[in-house]
Each structure stands twice: as structure tokens, then as C-alpha cells.
Amino acid sequence: SQQGEEDPQALSIQEGENATMNCSYKTSINNLQWYRQNSGRGLVHLILIRSNEREKHSGRLRVTLDTSKKSSSLLITASRAADTASYFCATDPRDDKIIFGKGTRLHILP
Amino acid sequence: NAGVTQTPKFQVLKTGQSMTLQCAQDMNHEYMSWYRQDPGMGLRLIHYSVGAGITDQGEVPNGYNVSRSTTEDFPLRLLSAAPSQTSVYFCASSYSYRDTYEQYFGPGTRLTVT
């Protein structure tokens, strides 16, 4: 079974609103990453948060990590049409493997 | 830099045929991996490599072989294609396995097995 699970599976919001998606994982990790995938394309790295960090920002992205709950959240503020994509969390459960979740499909409505 | 390149972009195989999906990177990355992406399943790790001559199995290795004779290349071989292997295949690389670094993905190969 997959290490990470994103929630919700799909999310539709109005342009300008904030989008929040969550990732839960099962085993201890070194780091957690978030990736974006536009339709039909390869994944693009967004942000990496290490297990000793609680929050990280990059532009309109804010990521939190709670290792006690084995969960992370990705917040996209002031959403734009270009943010329409699938978002994946990826974890490294301490054995050189990087495991992805099933993703959240985000749709920004005009 | 070309980054991570994959060939072919599209492929149709008949059941039982074999083929090799090519992956190359020009960033001198140690770590390379293959994923398959199916609807509703996200990305699943097939095989990965932490350096030339070293490979290991991921979550779904059955039916696939890999080798890493050079740092640059990491081909994925389908030994006897089955319809269940119809998927989009992504190759990825990152700087090192000794810490977690961002992965760079290729554009994908869309494989259909009939």
C-alpha cells in the first residue's frame, strides 16, 4: 500500500480563494515533498520540508508538517487559474525509496 | 542541460512482446527511479538506483527489469508485456540518495498493451 495519502481527492475553488490539501503517511520519514503535475506532463517539485521543520513558505505556498500526527498540509493562497493541476506528496521512509501518494486534483474556477 | 529525457513518448505493444523504455539524464545525478502512473493510483515506484551498478525494487517491480551501467542511463525493460502494464511511465532523477533532494521528472512514456 502507498505511504502517503492526499485528502481531498478532488477540490474545486473560486479563483482568488485559498486551497488547502492534506497528506497523511504511515511510517517515520526524513523529509516530505510536494509536487505539482499539470495534465499530461511530468511532475514538478514545489517544496521540501525536513522532519525537524514544522512550517515552510515559498511564494504563495505554505507547507506544514506534524510528525506526531504523520501529516502535512499544503496551502496555496490567492489561487490562480494556472494552479489547476494535481498535487502529490512524496515521502522517504528511510530506505532510499521515495513514495508518492495518489494526489489531489485541484480545479480553479474562473 | 536537457534534464531527464525519455523515449519513446508513445508505444503500443501486443501481449507477450518485450521492449525497453529509455531514460537518460545529463545532470550527473546519483539517484534515478521509474514510476508508473495509473488513473486513481497516483505514482507507484517500480525500480530505483542509487548509483551506477546498483538497483533495487520499488513497490511494483514484477514484470520489469532495470540496469544502471552508467550514471546517465537507466533503461526499463518489459520482459513480456501484459495489458496490466498499460500505463504512463515516468523516469526521475535527483542529485543524491544520501539526503532527500528534489526529483526531476521526464515527460513520460504512454504505453498501451493490447
Side-chain angles (χ1 to χ4, degrees):
Chain A
S1 61
Q2 289 178 265
Q3 159 80 328
E5 293 284 343
E6 290 89 344
D7 172 63
Q9 289 186 338
L11 178 63
S12 292
I13 60 171
Q14 294 293 136
E15 191 168 8
E17 293 181 338
N18 295 342
T20 299
M21 53 205 87
N22 304 295
C23 169
S24 59
Y25 56 91
K26 298 173 183 173
T27 65
S28 297
I29 60 171
N30 289 314
N31 309 282
L32 186 142
Q33 304 178 69
W34 285 92
Y35 287 79
R36 183 187 73 230
Q37 183 182 35
N38 291 95
S39 181
R41 302 284 191 92
L43 279 70
V44 174
H45 182 263
L46 294 176
I47 196 165
L48 180 153
I49 186 165
R50 301 198 180 275
S51 57
N52 61 355
E53 296 176 308
R54 292 297 166 256
E55 187 171 313
K56 201 160 183 180
H57 296 253
S58 176
R60 294 184 296 112
L61 306 180
R62 172 177 167 252
V63 169
T64 62
L65 179 63
D66 187 335
T67 53
S68 67
K69 294 181 180 176
K70 293 186 172 60
S71 68
S72 172
S73 67
L74 171 67
L75 168 67
I76 303 173
T77 60
S79 62
R80 305 168 181 169
D83 296 327
T84 292
S86 291
Y87 292 82
F88 296 87
C89 68
T91 56
D92 53 349
R94 299 182 185 270
D95 61 354
D96 301 337
K97 299 177 184 177
I98 299 176
I99 306 296
F100 284 79
K102 297 180 181 180
T104 291
R105 293 188 310 279
L106 175 64
H107 185 53
I108 308 299
L109 304 167
Chain B
N1 286 351
V4 180
T5 57
Q6 290 183 240
T7 55
K9 285 190 168 57
F10 300 94
Q11 183 71 49
V12 179
L13 289 178
K14 292 189 188 323
T15 297
Q17 287 185 316
S18 62
M19 80 158 295
T20 299
L21 307 185
Q22 301 291 345
C23 174
Q25 51 90 10
D26 61 357
M27 297 172 283
N28 202 31
H29 283 174
E30 281 187 336
Y31 187 94
M32 295 187 75
S33 53
W34 276 102
Y35 294 88
R36 60 178 286 174
Q37 184 174 32
D38 303 294
M41 295 297 294
L43 278 82
R44 291 182 291 171
L45 180 65
I46 305 172
H47 286 286
Y48 65 101
S49 168
V50 299
I54 306 169
T55 63
D56 207 344
Q57 296 181 347
E59 302 170 277
V60 288
N62 291 342
Y64 307 95
N65 270 1
V66 292
S67 59
R68 184 99 180 268
S69 56
T70 67
T71 299
E72 294 78 21
D73 300 299
F74 191 44
L76 177 72
R77 279 183 288 278
L78 279 70
L79 308 172
S80 177
S84 61
Q85 294 179 303
T86 293
S87 188
V88 181
Y89 291 84
F90 289 100
C91 178
S93 74
S94 64
Y95 174 68
S96 174
Y97 70 94
R98 294 184 186 85
D99 193 358
T100 301
Y101 295 89
E102 68 174 281
Q103 292 205 88
Y104 293 80
F105 280 80
T109 293
R110 188 173 296 274
L111 175 68
T112 302
V113 182
T114 60

